[in-house]
Amino acid sequence: MDSIIFDLDGTLWDSRKTVAAAWNAAIEQNKLDAEPITVEDLKSTMGLQMPDIMKKLFPQYDEAARNELIQTCGEIECVYLKKSGGVLYPEVKEIIGQLAEKYPLYIVSNCQEGYIEAFLAFHEMEEYFKDFENPGRTGLTKGENIQLLMERNGLKDPIYVGDTKGDQQAAEYAGIPFVYAAYGFGEVESFEQKIDRFEHLLEVAELA
């Protein structure tokens, strides 16, 4: 293992409360007749790309209306996250600091551009991560973004840490081992290793 690539939502933090507030502000701004988005609504969308999330949450609207909402949600969401952040899982910042002393760390998440930046800025973790990628910037799938990041940084033997079946499939697509964060949002049956708490990643990294 020469590096660690992380998913974000359900792996490093839970931003659903802030995101729900931002999306409800976007619904109001776009004057849509839609029920307010709840934290529980967002749980079922974790791991999906934005167009698929919008289709799932707003099936009553056509693609044009959903695309307009994607733009508004993305803009408001990043503002809210920079101000309020999300909830880090226990000991994430401390353990990330320990891991960064031995391994280059990266993030690949299915999010819009600005989302990972907001996470890093609010929790003051920019120094720990060498690079990151997302479909908002590339238009690629998560597996393709993992491959892109690996090629860009010359990674030969990384692991991918995530919490959903989509994360597992992305790691498989990229041809790298998957570490299942079982405390997150998804249920995954196929993985190389499983962690029940974030601190257990120290054992995977042989730092415990």
Side-chain angles (χ1 to χ4, degrees):
M1 185 172 80
D2 65 358
S3 52
I4 306 174
I5 309 172
F6 292 93
D7 170 52
L8 183 45
D9 295 319
T11 301
L12 298 178
W13 76 345
D14 181 352
S15 65
R16 290 177 297 164
K17 184 176 180 180
T18 303
V19 170
W23 285 21
N24 287 327
I27 290 170
E28 183 176 348
Q29 181 172 312
N30 283 34
K31 297 181 171 59
L32 296 179
D33 182 17
E35 291 294 319
I37 296 298
T38 67
V39 168
E40 195 59 30
D41 290 333
L42 292 176
K43 183 177 181 179
S44 68
T45 69
M46 291 300 165
L48 299 177
Q49 292 198 25
M50 283 294 284
D52 295 322
I53 292 174
M54 291 297 160
K55 189 174 182 179
K56 184 178 180 69
L57 295 180
F58 303 100
Q60 69 271 40
Y61 295 107
D62 61 22
E63 187 175 355
R66 291 198 297 263
N67 286 339
E68 184 177 349
L69 185 57
I70 286 174
Q71 184 67 29
T72 308
C73 282
E75 293 171 356
I76 296 177
E77 184 178 287
C78 287
V79 172
Y80 275 50
L81 287 171
K82 286 178 181 178
K83 181 179 179 180
S84 303
V87 179
L88 289 178
Y89 288 110
E91 300 186 72
V92 161
K93 189 169 185 178
E94 296 79 3
I95 291 168
I96 285 292
Q98 294 179 55
L99 293 170
E101 293 179 2
K102 183 174 181 181
Y103 298 101
L105 306 182
Y106 305 89
I107 297 174
V108 173
S109 176
N110 273 346
C111 59
Q112 74 275 17
E113 193 167 5
Y115 187 89
I116 298 174
E117 294 92 327
F119 161 77
L120 295 173
F122 183 84
H123 293 291
E124 299 180 340
M125 297 175 72
E126 296 100 329
E127 66 180 294
Y128 298 127
F129 291 91
K130 302 292 187 182
D131 196 4
F132 56 83
E133 200 51 90
N134 61 77
R137 185 159 67 180
T138 67
L140 301 175
T141 67
K142 180 171 281 188
E144 291 169 332
N145 278 325
I146 292 174
Q147 285 188 330
L148 176 65
L149 183 138
M150 288 172 61
E151 293 168 3
R152 190 162 67 213
N153 293 278
L155 308 183
K156 302 300 183 184
D157 188 27
I159 61 171
Y160 187 69
V161 184
D163 67 305
T164 67
K165 185 176 181 179
D167 293 332
Q168 182 273 321
Q169 293 171 333
E172 183 178 8
Y173 179 92
I176 62 176
F178 175 65
V179 177
Y180 171 39
Y183 53 82
F185 300 129
E187 295 184 5
V188 180
E189 296 181 356
S190 177
F191 47 82
E192 276 68 39
Q193 297 194 63
K194 182 175 78 168
I195 56 174
D196 294 309
R197 294 175 55 85
F198 192 76
E199 67 186 72
H200 295 162
L201 192 55
L202 292 174
E203 298 175 12
V204 176
E206 299 181 348
L207 294 177

